[in-house]
Amino acid sequence: MNSEPQFDVVIVGAGPVGCCVAVLLVTAGVVRPERIALLDRQPPPSPTAADPIDLRVFALSRASERILLHVGAWPAIAAQRASPYERMTVWHANVPPRSADVLSFAADEAGEPNLGHIVENRVLQSALYVAATGAGVAFVAGSLQSLTADSRQVELTTSTAALTTRLVVGADGARSQVRTLAGLGLTAADYGQRAIVAVVTSQRPHERTAWQRFLGDGTLALLPLADGRSSIVWSVPDERAARLMALSAQEFAAALTADSDDVLGRLELSSERAAVDLVKQSADAYVRERVALVGDAAHVIHPLAGQGVNLGLLDAAALVQVLQDAASDREDPGALRLLRRYERWRRTDNQIVSATMDSFNRWLARGSGPVATLAQQALPIVGRSTLAKQLLVRRALGAVGELPRAAR
């Protein structure tokens, strides 16, 4: 290997989390932009107003919004169909959706302008990519093929070039090649569910409310979009998902309206449908010397509360903060003892959120028996407790736990 690496940091994956790492490194003054590279097969496409709504959307928390403000990406996101939501309503199939037994939150009760924003994946990705490359970060087109590390640097062989760097950040998603090549291991479990995503129109307005119903065999979320439509995430067992995907548009809409308990009146498809297998994953280790994983490369959780990308952006901010705090002491950014600080910090919070989502899925969304009955009966009790609701709102806003400085 060469005595002096070409880069200080190479980030594999130009998705939202990888691009966020890149631009945070620049804004925090950790690494000069010309010493950072983003590696991916191709740059993300630039969205236009004429594009259809992306089927993949995120419910961005206040913590994520602050990170995006910090790196200068938020104005571009807010200008492109970002939809603030002011209320959340959660209920189980055994109670009516507009009864006193639902669990509901309102932004004004928490002294907040909103509870978060529904943002399309391509909008988030493009805004962060523009922020990173606009700051001077290099984009390298290619796919990772091999990774070899020694005590001083890492050599990456790609489909187009060979790169050397002091630190590799794996932001390359659930099927992370960095994780595999670095031998960081993976523990995975199949939920036996698929999430059906689509855009729908509704007979009644969505009221800037995120609606979520626990069905008994899964979960249905209706997420409010800026144009008055809603994005659905309908998580059901594999067999039922296959049957739903095989229905005609009219039959699918009728089944969807029934599972929504008619909360917004008749629902109709206004986009294609897609179904995604749901799995739980956790890297056995987030780091090794000169390698760190962030986002879905490190952890994948159930999507019922839409926390995945929020956790990934917090990973990005935490990793960069650890590197920033060490930079004044001229520490090597690839040193294992340094990267383990990041791992200890983020693994705990990610595991807590993952376990919480598993509990909701097991006892509220799909459960039966005494424990599930108790959990279902607890929902309206929580809804009547001001303290419990405040704690849940703080979690929804991303205002709990040890937050990185960029998220405060």
Side-chain angles (χ1 to χ4, degrees):
M1 294 185 182
N2 297 330
S3 58
E4 177 63 25
Q6 296 166 269
F7 298 101
D8 289 323
V9 182
V10 170
I11 301 153
V12 182
V17 176
C19 289
C20 190
V21 172
V23 69
L24 279 168
L25 286 168
V26 177
T27 57
V30 179
V31 182
R32 299 194 312 275
E34 67 272 16
R35 299 285 297 171
I36 306 168
L38 274 168
L39 172 67
D40 211 327
R41 289 180 177 84
Q42 59 187 16
S46 299
T48 69
D51 289 338
I53 296 287
D54 196 337
L55 295 187
R56 187 179 184 191
V57 301
F58 304 121
L60 293 184
S61 68
R62 183 73 77 249
S64 292
E65 180 184 343
R66 288 171 180 155
I67 292 170
L68 295 166
L69 277 166
H70 183 78
V71 301
W74 183 252
I77 293 167
Q80 296 185 68
R81 300 191 299 214
S83 178
Y85 58 98
E86 299 163 0
R87 288 171 294 277
M88 295 176 62
T89 297
V90 181
W91 76 106
H92 192 271
N94 58 17
V95 302
R98 297 182 185 271
S99 70
D101 290 330
V102 305
L103 177 58
S104 62
F105 314 97
D108 55 4
E109 292 176 357
E112 294 283 342
N114 55 65
L115 296 178
H117 291 77
I118 306 302
V119 174
E120 298 164 62
N121 173 63
R122 71 164 70 94
V123 169
L124 178 63
Q125 183 176 16
S126 176
L128 283 164
Y129 176 78
V130 169
T133 54
V137 173
F139 178 81
V140 178
S143 57
L144 181 62
Q145 296 180 337
S146 69
L147 180 158
T148 307
D150 66 15
S151 61
R152 294 178 294 110
Q153 60 185 16
V154 183
E155 183 174 293
L156 305 174
T157 302
T158 79
S159 56
T160 57
L163 309 174
T164 55
T165 183
R166 299 170 74 193
L167 172 66
V168 174
V169 177
D172 50 341
R175 299 179 180 179
S176 172
Q177 186 75 343
V178 172
R179 184 184 63 227
T180 299
L181 293 173
L184 290 171
L186 180 69
T187 300
D190 192 328
Y191 283 110
Q193 292 177 297
R194 303 186 81 194
I196 300 174
V197 293
V199 176
V200 300
T201 57
S202 56
Q203 186 178 11
R204 292 194 289 273
H206 56 51
E207 303 170 30
R208 289 198 171 189
T209 298
W211 305 88
Q212 182 163 283
R213 188 185 190 213
F214 294 121
L215 303 171
D217 69 345
T219 310
L220 172 62
L222 297 165
L223 306 175
L225 299 174
D227 64 2
R229 294 182 293 171
S230 297
S231 175
I232 69 161
V233 183
W234 196 3
S235 302
V236 293
D238 291 338
E239 300 81 3
R240 188 179 181 212
R243 293 196 301 271
L244 289 169
M245 291 295 289
L247 295 176
S248 69
Q250 293 76 19
E251 292 169 329
F252 180 89
L256 177 62
T257 301
D259 263 19
S260 74
D261 206 8
D262 206 36
V263 69
L264 298 181
R266 186 178 63 255
L267 303 175
E268 295 182 355
L269 275 171
S270 63
S271 75
E272 299 296 321
R273 292 167 271 176
V276 181
D277 293 332
L278 297 185
V279 297
K280 174 185 176 180
Q281 291 186 178
S282 179
D284 296 337
Y286 286 14
V287 302
R288 55 166 282 187
E289 192 166 23
R290 305 205 174 280
V291 179
L293 303 178
V294 292
D296 285 358
H299 47 80
V300 176
I301 68 171
H302 198 284
L304 64 81
Q307 289 298 305
V309 76
N310 294 312
L311 295 180
L313 295 176
L314 287 171
D315 289 348
L319 175 61
V320 172
Q321 181 174 314
V322 167
L323 297 177
Q324 181 183 25
D325 291 346
S328 58
D329 296 328
R330 306 181 71 83
E331 290 194 61
D332 186 338
L336 182 57
R337 64 184 182 84
L338 176 63
L339 298 177
R340 278 184 172 155
R341 295 179 203 166
Y342 154 73
E343 180 182 49
R344 287 192 296 269
W345 180 357
R346 290 302 304 151
R347 180 184 283 277
T348 299
D349 189 48
N350 291 334
Q351 288 176 334
I352 290 171
V353 175
S354 182
T356 302
M357 296 306 102
D358 282 354
S359 297
F360 287 170
N361 186 53
R362 182 175 182 182
W363 303 119
L364 289 172
R366 307 179 71 182
S368 61
V371 176
T373 299
L374 184 62
Q376 293 157 20
Q377 292 173 344
L379 267 183
I381 296 172
V382 172
R384 296 185 185 102
S385 168
T386 301
L387 177 59
K389 287 175 66 173
Q390 286 175 345
L391 292 173
L392 288 171
V393 168
R394 282 174 55 79
R395 166 56 71 182
L397 291 168
V400 297
E402 185 183 356
L403 293 176
R405 288 188 292 268
R408 296 175 196 163

